[in-house]
């Protein structure tokens, strides 16, 4: 039930990232964004970009709680199992906690026997220090030149929970949320749409 479908996703991704959400009916737009953030979470996972993966996963869960959005139960559980098992191994304590608590919360009712066993095994091993093999490539982190140098600039907490300098941050469409330039480049390399899931395109300037 663990996917190795990166090439399959890439074959449709270029088209998904060209959709104009302003021209889509509201409910359909939410469904599209749910699809987009589901697979964005997987793509960030394959790139070992933990905080971006966690954010895309959290947004997906929020969208799935809307009354008009649903996906096949086994597909949803397979997705959650893979991402949460990955996050449970994160070096970041907040992300590790998200993964471990999420694994315990997966509803195994009405699942096939094989998938139910996979979930229970994941829960049983959630605190294992063993490395979980994942498809894709190792760390792909973008760090702009000079961003790690000491500075007296005013700082703020970013959308992905990182501390940002004012000069290296990008304000999102709500004019409140911000991400770093490096995070914006990493996010846009996977998803052209804003991490706020409004349907707006992410602008790097």
């Amino acid at each position: 039930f663990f996917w190795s479908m990166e090439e399959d996703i890439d074959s449709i991704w270029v088209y998904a990232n060209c959709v104009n959400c302003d021209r889509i009916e509201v409910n359909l737009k939410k469904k599209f964004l749910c699809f987009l953030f589901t697979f964005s979470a997987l793509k960030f996972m394959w790139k070992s970009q933990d905080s971006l993966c966690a954010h895309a996963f959290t947004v997906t869960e929020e969208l799935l709680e809307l009354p008009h959005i649903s996906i096949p139960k086994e597909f949803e559980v397979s997705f959650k199992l893979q991402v949460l098992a990955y996050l449970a191994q994160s070096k970041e304590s907040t992300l590790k906690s998200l993964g471990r608590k999420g694994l315990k919360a997966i509803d195994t009712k009405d699942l096939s026997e094989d998938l139910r066993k996979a979930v229970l095994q994941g829960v049983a091993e959630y605190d294992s220090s063993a490395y979980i093999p994942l498809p894709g490539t190792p760390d792909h982190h973008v760090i702009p030149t000079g961003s790690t140098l000491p500075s007296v600039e005013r700082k703020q907490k970013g959308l992905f929970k990182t501390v940002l300098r004012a000069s290296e941050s990008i304000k999102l469409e709500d004019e409140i949320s911000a991400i770093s330039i490096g995070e914006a480049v990493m996010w846009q390399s996977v998803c052209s749409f804003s991490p706020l899931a409004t349907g707006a395109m992410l602008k790097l300037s």
Side-chain angles (χ1 to χ4, degrees), residues 147 149-158 162-169:
S147 64
L149 296 175
S151 172
V152 295
E153 278 189 74
R154 180 178 61 83
K155 297 181 180 179
Q156 68 179 105
K157 195 72 168 286
T162 50
V163 178
L164 309 176
R165 299 178 187 176
S167 64
E168 68 156 13
S169 65

Side-chain angles (χ1 to χ4, degrees), residues 40-49 53 82-83 86 134:
S40 291
L42 289 170
K43 289 174 76 67
F44 288 129
M45 181 187 71
W46 292 331
K47 290 188 170 191
S48 298
Q49 294 169 343
C53 170
Q82 184 163 345
V83 174
Y86 166 72
L134 296 170

Side-chain angles (χ1 to χ4, degrees), residues 4 76 102 118 140 170 176 192 198:
S4 55
E76 179 184 348
H140 283 69
I170 293 176
I176 300 173
S192 297
T198 61

